[in-house]
Amino acid sequence: MNQSDFKEYFRFLADSVAPGPYECMLCGEEDVIGEDGLCDVCREELRYFPNPICSQPLDGITIGLRYSEKLAKAVMAFKQNEQTEYAGFFTQFLSVPSEWHADLLVPIPMHPIKKRIRGFNHSEALCAYLSHATGIPYSTRLLYKIRLTGEQKKLTAAERRKNIRNSFTADPLVKGLNIVIVDDVFTTGATAYECAKTLKSSGADRVYMAAVTSPDQ
């Protein structure tokens, strides 16, 4: 699905859920909203994220946008308030390069207790939309969070790596697959790298990362 097709798909979703007038997905203002769900001001403020730094065990990474205050508020609304309309909006900034030869999309998993408390996993919602946009299947049954960990956001990079260590497990069915991990924010990469390590230890051939946004690396 090319960018034009995706915008048409997003507009169809918006029309089916909340016929106009529309609010900008980032600033919330009712204005002249484009097919991408943005007003002209917010669209102009977007900064794309070219050539992110990647290191093993990830084999590649794509990031859509540089982090901003408006994006941060939208991400929090998506995560905490289960505003799933953001999944379709954010997915237009996710990409899976054809040279990755991806077999499967996999969301960053939540521990069952945390998922029960929050009510849904936002990464799963992103996977579902990205799968529809790209035609690449996704699965929530191959990578699991087995250890309940504390919040990562207030920790240093070293503390994040220690906090998340050995907290995932993967099904041996990942053997030989090229897998793309999907999430909203890539910060230090501690969680993504731990997931990639786990998937590869269970036999995955290559593991990539597709994220919506990231601070400057």
Side-chain angles (χ1 to χ4, degrees), residues 25-42:
M25 298 294 288
L26 291 186
C27 70
E29 294 293 327
E30 286 190 5
D31 204 333
V32 179
I33 309 304
E35 296 175 0
D36 55 5
L38 294 168
C39 68
D40 291 342
V41 173
C42 287

Side-chain angles (χ1 to χ4, degrees), residues 5-165:
D5 291 335
F6 187 85
K7 286 182 177 180
E8 183 65 28
Y9 172 60
F10 178 74
R11 183 170 61 179
F12 165 76
L13 289 174
D15 287 344
S16 64
V17 174
Y22 307 120
E23 294 181 353
C24 175
M25 298 294 288
L26 291 186
C27 70
E29 294 293 327
E30 286 190 5
D31 204 333
V32 179
I33 309 304
E35 296 175 0
D36 55 5
L38 294 168
C39 68
D40 291 342
V41 173
C42 287
R43 187 181 302 107
E44 182 66 24
E45 290 176 353
L46 289 182
R47 294 294 179 266
Y48 291 89
F49 204 121
N51 304 317
I53 298 170
C54 178
S55 58
Q56 288 293 326
L58 283 174
D59 296 289
I61 180 170
T62 60
I63 297 170
L65 303 170
R66 293 187 185 278
Y67 208 56
S68 68
E69 184 177 343
K70 286 183 179 179
L71 272 172
K73 289 180 179 179
V75 166
M76 291 305 293
F78 179 34
K79 287 182 175 181
Q80 296 187 349
N81 301 327
E82 200 171 347
Q83 294 185 17
T84 52
E85 64 269 23
Y86 279 106
F89 168 71
F90 284 138
T91 302
Q92 65 188 304
F93 304 111
L94 290 169
S95 61
V96 180
S98 59
E99 60 267 25
W100 287 1
H101 303 291
D103 298 305
L104 199 66
L105 307 175
V106 171
I108 297 286
M110 279 184 178
H111 190 276
I113 292 176
K114 185 173 181 179
K115 185 176 180 181
R116 192 177 304 120
I117 292 170
R118 181 173 289 182
F120 86 122
N121 182 347
H122 59 283
S123 296
E124 290 180 12
L126 288 173
C127 262
Y129 274 82
L130 186 58
S131 177
H132 189 284
T134 62
I136 303 169
Y138 78 101
S139 175
T140 62
R141 298 180 178 275
L142 295 178
L143 182 65
Y144 298 93
K145 184 80 176 288
I146 56 173
R147 186 168 63 81
L148 188 60
T149 56
E151 289 290 337
Q152 293 273 85
K153 58 185 178 182
K154 294 183 179 180
L155 302 180
T156 65
E159 289 170 339
R160 287 178 183 227
R161 290 192 295 271
K162 183 178 180 180
N163 183 51
I164 206 73
R165 191 174 299 147

Side-chain angles (χ1 to χ4, degrees), residues 195-211:
C195 286
K197 183 180 76 173
T198 301
L199 288 164
K200 285 189 170 181
S201 68
S202 291
D205 188 13
R206 293 182 177 273
V207 180
Y208 304 94
M209 175 77 188

